[in-house]
Amino acid sequence: MTKPAHALDFERPLIALESKIAELKELSGGARVDFTDEIQKLEKKAKRLQAEIFSELSPWQTVQLARHPNRPYTLDYLGRLFTDFFELEGDRRFAADRAIVAGFARFDGEPVLVMGHQKGRGTKENMLRNFGMPRPEGYRKARRLFDLAERFRRPVIIFIDTPGAYPGIGAEERGQAEAIATNLEVMSSLSVPSISVVIGEGASGGALGLGVTNRILMLQYAWYNVISPESCSSILYRDSTQGKKSAEALKLTAKDLAGFGITDEIIPEPEGGAHRDHDLAAENVRGAIRRHLAELEKLSPEQLVVDRYKKFRAMGVFTTEE
Amino acid sequence: MPWFSKQKKVKARESTPAAPPPPPAKGEGIWHKCEGCESVVARAELEREWNVCPSCGQHEALPIRRRFELVLDPGSFEELDADLTPQDPLGFVDAKKYRDRLKGTYKNTGLRDAFISGVGSIAGQQVSIGSFAFEFMGGSMGSVVGEKVTRVFDRAFERRLPAIVFSSTGGARMQEGIFSLMQMAKTSAALHRFRAVRKPYVSVMLHPTTGGVAASFAWLGDVVIAEPKALIGFAGPRVIEQTIREKLPPGFQRSEFLLEHGMIDAIVHRHDMRDRLGQLLSLLG
């Protein structure tokens, strides 16, 4: 395993132990001293430690994992799960938006529309990707491709991973809210199967603008909510550093959402999080998409619209009282 | 009775979307100082003018019940779904428990949640209609608001009526977390189903309309109109300023700015609202 470039606070004891093991292994390689026993002991200990840390993750720690800079992004899944990808970048209105990647490709050999929010690694790429925060152009590109998917009868597979739609002057001038709103309606009307997978952060309307799908899947350490914990605390407490408190109050983990009946499946991540093993994370996602797609493909176009409508129509908690 | 009310004044240019003042309450002054031009007017006169300043035309907040009086034929309004009551699915607590906040707001406003809806008529034409109550938790949309909006479209679909929604809201309600977010999808899906009956949906944006409501059914009107100088947008001005670290230009995100950018169809003065809605309904309904 390659040494992670970035370690979260709660990962540190584990990473320290692992680098010690790696050191001993290197010394053993010289073959003058045998550390096999020692190594085995430490490896056991590391496994125990990992299980311990990850068995009791707080919501805030989950949010941090979802934002881990080594976490696989949309393109990391795209490269592993799809073949024959043809990226389509045009919104035909104003500009290309690299915070959303989209195009047609094959999944298990079958042509599909695949798209997702795309974050960058490092400053330069993050500038290009705008930290995964789309402008109206990104949503309008998506909308155009939804129309194509509908016309050519291609299933739609979406990866959600955004800190939110971009709040900027230009974005407002060009109708950020209208662009998202239109996607909600267009996605609700598709008569082809649609599946979204929240792979990291699912923040607010910027996430939902690609998320009105027949199935909603979530990676184990992803989060999805109406607002980011920091923005929530900045409104409630006028203090954006209280994210930890808000993360708990908002109930934003995959487990919470499964309990509420919002997500259809939690996709397990590799031990220690998806960032520790991109290949295994992608395999788990492949299995889940394959299963849900097979189920949805049994439905007629009309049934797919009704299935999705009923799913969202039922969301909400209230009573009727006189 | 005090001569002037002690309500906090919200200037049109203030950058927080936070607020038309609450509805008249005990201790309300008999005189009112305009938020726009600071001229003083008798409250009774202001109310006769539907809370539009007689000097400068500033549109101040209108209590929700008066909104229906303003636009509907007298006596035609029948409220529906009034029994929908919010719950606390997250067990949400910040400075206060959400449950207590709901109870307190109910006590102060007499409203169960931030939306009233039903059927009525405009110039004899039946409509399925609803309006946000900004005075209830900033007009925020949780499960009850989302359900009521959805039923506005459901009823319009079933009875083949035009639909009208007045929005005045800070957006989705944080205290209901993911359920609030999903109301955006639910309402938009219901609206799409309604489109099939080929009746118009007119969305009227009032001050302010932002966040998850702007980014769902409010901006999906066949016709989108706004009152003058309403603050309308996706992100609130404070969030934008924090993100770009610049002051926003004057008039940014106001109705006039949006009209100039082609993002809304018309600005309609409150005193003309009934006639203009009637005109639209007769042209499209």
Side-chain angles (χ1 to χ4, degrees):
Chain A
M1 190 185 299
T2 52
K3 198 176 154 199
H6 181 97
L8 302 171
D9 280 347
F10 60 89
E11 288 183 303
R12 281 213 177 102
L14 182 63
I15 306 268
L17 200 54
E18 281 171 348
S19 59
K20 198 167 163 198
I21 294 169
E23 236 169 72
L24 285 178
K25 277 186 175 163
E26 211 174 297
L27 284 174
S28 292
R32 242 171 295 165
V33 208
D34 185 7
F35 289 115
T36 316
D37 279 1
E38 185 71 5
I39 290 172
Q40 273 178 355
K41 240 198 258 165
L42 286 178
E43 279 179 337
K44 249 190 199 158
K45 194 175 160 194
K47 213 166 172 179
R48 256 202 328 269
L49 183 62
Q50 178 160 288
E52 211 174 283
I53 295 172
F54 280 80
S55 68
E56 288 175 44
L57 281 184
S58 70
W60 182 239
Q61 287 171 327
T62 304
V63 169
Q64 289 172 291
L65 276 177
R67 294 171 177 166
H68 199 291
N70 298 335
R71 195 169 171 85
Y73 296 149
T74 291
L75 283 172
D76 299 308
Y77 290 103
L78 219 155
R80 285 172 175 80
L81 303 182
F82 297 80
T83 55
D84 219 8
F85 178 52
F86 197 123
E87 184 172 8
L88 300 171
E89 296 202 77
D91 75 331
R92 301 287 203 281
R93 292 290 180 272
F94 184 76
D97 185 343
R98 272 74 190 226
I100 291 177
V101 173
F104 287 88
R106 288 175 193 278
F107 179 79
D108 285 345
E110 181 193 354
V112 298
L113 170 63
V114 56
M115 72 167 74
H117 304 93
Q118 180 65 39
K119 294 179 176 178
R121 288 205 173 81
T123 310
K124 206 175 143 193
E125 208 199 334
N126 257 319
M127 297 292 281
L128 177 75
R129 303 294 181 188
N130 200 30
F131 299 87
M133 294 187 284
R135 297 181 167 90
E137 294 69 46
Y139 295 104
R140 291 184 177 130
K141 165 172 73 181
R143 186 259 160 92
R144 206 180 75 76
L145 298 185
F146 293 141
D147 288 346
L148 296 189
E150 177 76 8
R151 187 140 47 92
F152 301 116
R153 309 223 52 79
R154 297 293 181 251
V156 176
I157 294 168
I158 310 268
F159 296 102
I160 289 177
D161 190 13
T162 181
Y166 185 64
I169 290 181
E172 293 289 331
E173 284 174 342
R174 300 191 300 277
Q176 184 75 286
E178 187 273 343
I180 291 171
T182 299
N183 280 11
L184 303 183
E185 184 177 353
V186 169
M187 292 190 84
S188 81
S189 73
L190 296 179
S191 65
V192 293
S194 59
I195 297 172
S196 57
V197 187
V198 188
I199 56 173
E201 300 191 85
S204 192
L208 188 66
L210 299 184
V212 186
T213 48
N214 290 96
R215 299 288 159 93
I216 302 172
L217 317 180
M218 274 181 88
L219 280 184
Q220 189 175 1
Y221 304 127
W223 70 268
Y224 198 2
N225 217 277
V226 70
I227 192 166
S228 76
E230 287 88 347
S231 305
C232 179
S233 60
S234 128
I235 293 170
L236 288 181
Y237 313 112
R238 299 255 153 182
D239 178 2
S240 63
T241 63
Q242 299 286 313
K244 188 167 184 282
K245 238 157 87 182
S246 297
E248 279 163 26
L250 284 168
K251 303 276 191 294
L252 44 64
T253 67
K255 214 171 149 187
D256 290 327
L257 268 62
F260 294 145
I262 302 283
T263 53
D264 297 287
E265 183 174 334
I266 301 175
I267 303 172
E269 297 194 19
E271 302 261 328
H275 61 287
R276 312 258 295 179
D277 190 340
H278 289 195
D279 289 337
L280 183 55
E283 280 319 304
N284 292 351
V285 170
R286 187 200 305 275
I289 294 178
R290 191 178 274 161
R291 219 168 34 254
H292 288 280
L293 194 55
E295 284 175 24
L296 291 172
E297 285 182 331
K298 289 182 198 143
L299 301 181
S300 71
E302 296 74 27
Q303 285 171 325
L304 283 164
V305 179
V306 172
D307 168 81
R308 200 182 302 108
Y309 180 78
K310 283 188 173 160
K311 177 190 189 70
F312 287 94
R313 184 68 186 80
M315 289 183 187
V317 178
F318 55 85
T319 56
T320 50
E321 285 170 20
E322 275 313 310
Chain B
M1 185 182 273
W3 279 59
F4 289 94
S5 58
K6 283 193 178 156
Q7 291 171 3
K8 190 175 165 286
K9 296 294 182 287
V10 178
K11 298 236 170 73
R13 64 176 178 278
E14 189 175 296
S15 61
T16 53
K26 284 169 285 183
E28 191 73 31
I30 57 170
W31 297 99
H32 177 84
K33 193 161 146 190
C34 171
E35 296 167 9
C37 67
E38 308 211 331
S39 66
V40 174
V41 55
R43 182 162 294 281
E45 190 192 347
L46 185 73
E47 283 172 7
R48 266 198 309 278
E49 297 295 325
W50 302 95
N51 290 11
V52 175
C53 172
S55 307
C56 71
Q58 166 87 14
H59 286 48
E60 301 204 3
L62 191 65
I64 182 163
R65 300 282 176 187
R66 296 208 72 210
R67 179 75 50 191
F68 295 106
E69 286 172 35
L70 172 74
V71 298
L72 292 176
D73 299 336
S76 72
F77 184 57
E78 180 196 352
E79 184 177 351
L80 295 162
D81 303 322
D83 56 347
L84 294 195
T85 307
Q87 296 292 294
D88 177 19
L90 312 187
F92 195 95
V93 180
D94 51 272
K96 244 187 204 175
K97 284 185 185 162
Y98 177 46
R99 252 172 216 291
D100 295 341
R101 203 179 284 277
L102 287 170
K103 267 188 223 149
T105 316
Y106 176 53
K107 236 173 109 183
N108 293 336
T109 60
L111 302 168
R112 285 183 200 263
D113 211 314
F115 199 81
I116 291 181
S117 51
V119 290
S121 64
I122 296 178
Q125 162 98 292
Q126 275 282 308
V127 292
S128 178
I129 190 167
S131 175
F132 277 77
F134 194 86
E135 55 267 41
F136 192 102
M137 289 184 74
S140 55
M141 174 166 70
S143 300
V144 167
V145 172
E147 180 68 20
K148 284 185 154 187
V149 172
T150 299
R151 292 187 188 185
V152 166
F153 297 128
D154 284 354
R155 255 191 305 276
F157 173 75
E158 285 151 14
R159 305 186 191 181
R160 299 178 166 262
L161 297 177
I164 297 176
V165 177
F166 293 91
S167 297
S168 175
T169 167
R173 185 176 295 167
M174 288 180 297
Q175 288 85 346
E176 292 184 31
I178 191 72
F179 292 105
S180 299
L181 182 69
M182 292 304 167
Q183 302 312 306
M184 296 170 63
K186 178 164 102 178
T187 52
S188 302
L191 170 56
H192 184 75
R193 196 174 71 126
F194 155 75
R195 306 268 199 210
V197 301
R198 295 177 188 277
K199 292 289 175 185
Y201 159 44
V202 181
S203 171
V204 185
M205 299 200 194
L206 311 169
H207 176 72
T209 299
T210 59
V213 173
S216 58
F217 58 89
W219 228 306
L220 293 172
D222 294 306
V223 175
V224 178
I225 60 191
E227 282 193 344
K229 290 190 186 160
L231 178 83
I232 297 165
F234 176 66
R238 198 158 58 93
V239 173
I240 300 174
E241 280 182 343
Q242 280 168 1
T243 306
I244 62 173
R245 296 192 182 86
E246 281 174 48
K247 277 269 161 219
L248 296 170
F252 182 66
Q253 293 183 310
R254 296 288 165 176
S255 309
E256 296 72 17
F257 171 95
L258 291 163
L259 187 76
E260 217 40 55
H261 282 86
M263 287 300 150
I264 59 174
D265 300 309
I267 296 172
V268 173
H269 192 285
R270 192 174 289 164
H271 293 171
D272 301 331
M273 191 61 80
R274 176 202 295 257
D275 289 348
R276 299 283 272 162
L277 287 175
Q279 188 189 354
L280 269 176
L281 294 182
S282 82
L283 288 168
L284 300 174

